């Protein structure tokens, strides 16, 4: 299998995209594909750079056996040369990533995708931002992502 690279992107890079990254890593480890992928996550915003993922998301993920280890960073021009898949959590992330690409005339190496295009169980076309909501929002994000991230992996390999 040719090496593939995947960057999951949300707004703050402390809730949804680190969760998507952890779910993806867990799946490729289980399938024995870990050497075939470079995986990372980033935010379109830079408010939380260097921070661990939100405690509430780490706790919700831990309950289902997932460890979220990433530190927040902001997407940058180089990412469009490194990652062949850039995967947005919602429409706004998708628009912001696309705008960054066209504003800076960046390489076409990356395809920009929306994770919910790979869903099969849940109807939501976007992963809802859980940051300002209650704890159950984090569990719901994980439920949605377990479905769509698995669909994404099955589509690309
Ligand atoms: P995320 O959630 O995009 O899933 O990481 C958010 C985290 C922080 C903020 C917004 C969304 N914020 O406004 O600080």
């Amino acid at each position: 299998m040719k090496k593939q690279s995947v960057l999951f992107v949300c707004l703050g890079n402390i809730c949804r995209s680190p969760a998507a990254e952890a779910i993806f890593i867990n799946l490729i480890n289980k399938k024995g594909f870990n050497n075939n992928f470079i995986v990372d996550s980033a935010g379109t915003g830079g408010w939380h750079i260097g921070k661990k993922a939100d405690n509430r998301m780490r706790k919700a993920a831990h309950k289902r056996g997932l460890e979220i280890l990433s530190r927040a960073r902001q997407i940058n021009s180089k990412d469009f040369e490194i990652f062949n898949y850039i995967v947005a959590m919602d429409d706004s992330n998708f628009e912001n990533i696309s705008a960054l690409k066209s504003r800076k005339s960046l390489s076409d190496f990356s395809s920009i995708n929306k994770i919910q295009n790979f869903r099969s169980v849940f109807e939501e076309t976007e992963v809802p931002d859980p940051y300002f909501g209650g704890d159950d929002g984090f569990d719901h994000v994980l439920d949605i992502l377990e479905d769509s991230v698995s669909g994404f992996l099955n589509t690309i390999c």
Side-chain angles (χ1 to χ4, degrees), residues 10-18 47-48 93 128-132:
C10 60
L11 176 60
N13 193 212
I14 55 169
C15 299
R16 293 165 293 173
S17 60
W47 311 283
H48 302 284
N93 309 148
D129 184 347
Y131 188 66
F132 293 107

Side-chain angles (χ1 to χ4, degrees), residues 1-8 24 28 33 36-39 84-87 111 113 115 118 148-157:
M1 193 196 287
K2 197 167 152 265
K3 197 140 188 155
Q4 315 224 52
S5 45
V6 181
L7 181 69
F8 295 100
F24 189 88
I28 59 175
F33 293 165
N36 302 107
F37 286 95
I38 295 167
V39 190
N84 44 335
Y85 296 101
I86 297 184
V87 188
S111 73
N113 305 267
I115 193 63
F118 303 95
S148 52
V149 169
S150 157
F152 170 64
L153 177 60
N154 290 336
T155 303
I156 66 170
C157 71

Side-chain angles (χ1 to χ4, degrees), residues 1-72:
M1 193 196 287
K2 197 167 152 265
K3 197 140 188 155
Q4 315 224 52
S5 45
V6 181
L7 181 69
F8 295 100
V9 180
C10 60
L11 176 60
N13 193 212
I14 55 169
C15 299
R16 293 165 293 173
S17 60
E21 178 188 4
I23 290 168
F24 189 88
I25 289 170
N26 188 47
L27 286 175
I28 59 175
N29 283 345
K30 275 193 192 149
K31 289 177 188 264
F33 293 165
N34 33 322
N35 289 327
N36 302 107
F37 286 95
I38 295 167
V39 190
D40 199 2
S41 65
T44 56
W47 311 283
H48 302 284
I49 289 172
K51 299 231 185 84
K52 285 185 183 173
D54 189 288
N55 253 327
R56 296 166 294 175
M57 182 54 90
R58 282 192 288 131
K59 218 165 131 187
H62 184 76
K63 277 194 295 185
R64 43 183 99 187
L66 291 166
E67 300 307 324
I68 300 183
L69 303 171
S70 67
R71 294 274 180 170

